[in-house]
């Protein structure tokens, strides 16, 4: 990392720490015994709801700038980018879509494209042949069935090629302001660690977690949880010793509990590294977040 980037990240960490003394104290992390004490007896539904909502409030303080990490300027771009994000990172998608949307800015343009040219443009995201079929197919369907516009109803979105409930809720929540829970791999992993549900089927996870929160909070809840999963509560090495919700987590101790060692596991702005978006919201930049680098050899 360059010296200016390190300086910016260090300054951001100091600013965040200064603003959140309570969160800083929590990252001192309780003992494993203390963390598991709360789960020694079966948790009532009322207690679960309270704990779940407190976790979300804590995450909202830690990530006040949590947002969708796919770059987009309109519902069509978000829909295509979300389909492309399967089996890859939002970072890789964001590095790839600028060239795609520059060449094919509308559904009509993409539907009429040469498939081989589209495949070459989106190759870095992996599974590029299947994704090309999906995005060209949905572009054609948008033109033929919806007048070239992305529909704002769940039942219409899930009929499009490559679009399931998860993708539909991303679009509805972030392009149309309609509440929905996005159950991606991060979301599912964390809500099971937190014992909000034991379900593994995304639809059942969605229903179980949705019952714990007001509908109006669903979209932002998704952002908060996914942000935490990408930055601190990783799949293989969760940074337990740097986690602001450690006292509320039944899975505390599964990861590194030493605060200094845990801090080295932090990703994106928490660790001083570039984030996932090329063009992130100003609030994210103000908090010390760094924009992602463009794909090598291509303009952003």
């Amino acid at each position: 990392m360059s010296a200016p980037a390190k300086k910016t990240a260090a300054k951001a960490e100091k600013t965040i720490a200064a603003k959140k003394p309570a969160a800083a104290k929590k990252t001192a992390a309780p003992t494993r015994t203390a963390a598991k004490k709360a789960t020694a007896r079966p948790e009532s539904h009322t207690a679960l709801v309270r704990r779940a909502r407190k976790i979300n409030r804590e995450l909202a303080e830690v990530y006040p700038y949590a947002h969708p990490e796919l770059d987009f300027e309109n519902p069509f771009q978000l829909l295509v980018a979300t389909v492309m994000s399967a089996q890859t990172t939002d970072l890789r998608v964001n590095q790839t879509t600028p060239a795609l949307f520059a060449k094919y800015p509308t559904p009509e343009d993409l539907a009429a494209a040469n498939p081989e040219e589209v495949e070459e443009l989106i190759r870095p995201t992996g599974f590029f042949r299947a994704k090309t079929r999906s995005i060209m197919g949905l572009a054609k369907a948008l033109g033929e069935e919806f007048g070239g516009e992305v529909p704002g109803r769940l039942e219409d979105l899930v009929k499009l090629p490559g679009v399931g409930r998860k993708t539909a809720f991303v679009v509805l929540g972030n392009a149309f302001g309609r509440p929905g829970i996005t159950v991606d791999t991060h979301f599912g992993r964390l809500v099971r660690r937190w014992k909000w549900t034991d379900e593994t089927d995304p639809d059942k996870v969605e229903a179980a977690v949705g019952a714990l929160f007001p509908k109006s909070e669903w979209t932002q809840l998704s952002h908060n949880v996914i942000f935490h999963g990408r930055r601190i509560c990783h799949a293989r090495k969760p940074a337990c010793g740097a986690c602001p919700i450690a006292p509320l987590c039944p899975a505390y101790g599964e990861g590194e509990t030493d605060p200094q060692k845990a801090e080295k596991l932090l990703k994106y702005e928490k660790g001083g590294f570039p984030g996932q978006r090329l063009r992130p919201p100003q609030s994210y930049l103000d908090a010390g977040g760094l924009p992602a680098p463009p794909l090598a050899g291509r303009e952003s």
Side-chain angles (χ1 to χ4, degrees), residues 17-208:
K19 290 181 179 179
K20 304 185 183 303
K25 291 180 181 178
K26 290 176 183 176
T27 59
T31 64
R32 186 164 190 153
T33 301
K36 294 201 170 196
K37 185 176 180 181
T39 60
R41 292 177 297 176
E43 187 175 38
S44 69
H45 180 72
T46 299
L48 171 60
V49 170
R50 288 174 178 169
R51 182 170 62 85
R53 294 186 181 184
K54 186 172 183 180
I55 286 176
N56 190 41
R57 289 195 298 271
E58 294 284 347
L59 294 180
E61 290 187 7
V62 177
Y63 310 108
Y65 45 80
H67 60 277
E69 293 193 90
L70 287 168
D71 283 323
F72 70 97
E73 296 178 356
N74 54 56
F76 172 63
Q77 290 188 0
L78 179 58
L79 178 60
V80 170
T82 306
V83 171
M84 287 173 55
S85 70
Q87 303 299 315
T88 190
T89 63
D90 286 357
L91 170 58
R92 180 58 65 182
V93 174
N94 290 340
Q95 292 171 324
T96 306
T97 51
L100 178 72
F101 294 141
K103 191 166 186 177
Y104 310 111
T106 69
E108 293 80 5
D109 294 326
L110 184 56
N114 181 329
E116 292 183 356
E117 293 181 0
V118 176
E119 288 177 3
E120 190 58 32
L121 284 172
I122 71 171
R123 181 184 292 270
T125 67
F127 302 95
F128 56 92
R129 292 191 178 88
K131 291 179 181 180
T132 294
R133 289 193 295 271
S134 292
I135 64 175
M136 291 188 67
L138 70 83
K140 181 179 180 181
L142 289 176
E144 294 179 348
E145 301 176 29
F146 300 102
E149 299 292 332
V150 175
R153 300 195 311 164
L154 175 66
E155 54 267 39
D156 291 329
L157 285 168
V158 296
K159 294 178 182 178
L160 299 171
V163 179
R165 288 178 68 87
K166 183 189 83 169
T167 296
F169 281 133
V170 170
V171 175
L172 290 173
N174 298 292
F176 293 98
R178 296 175 183 172
I181 292 177
T182 303
V183 184
D184 70 352
T185 55
H186 301 287
F187 192 95
R189 178 179 75 253
L190 268 60
V191 299
R192 285 188 287 274
R193 278 181 176 167
W194 297 335
K195 302 300 181 184
W196 290 3
T197 180
D198 292 325
E199 299 290 352
T200 56
D201 178 83
D203 291 353
K204 293 181 179 179
V205 170
E206 175 195 324

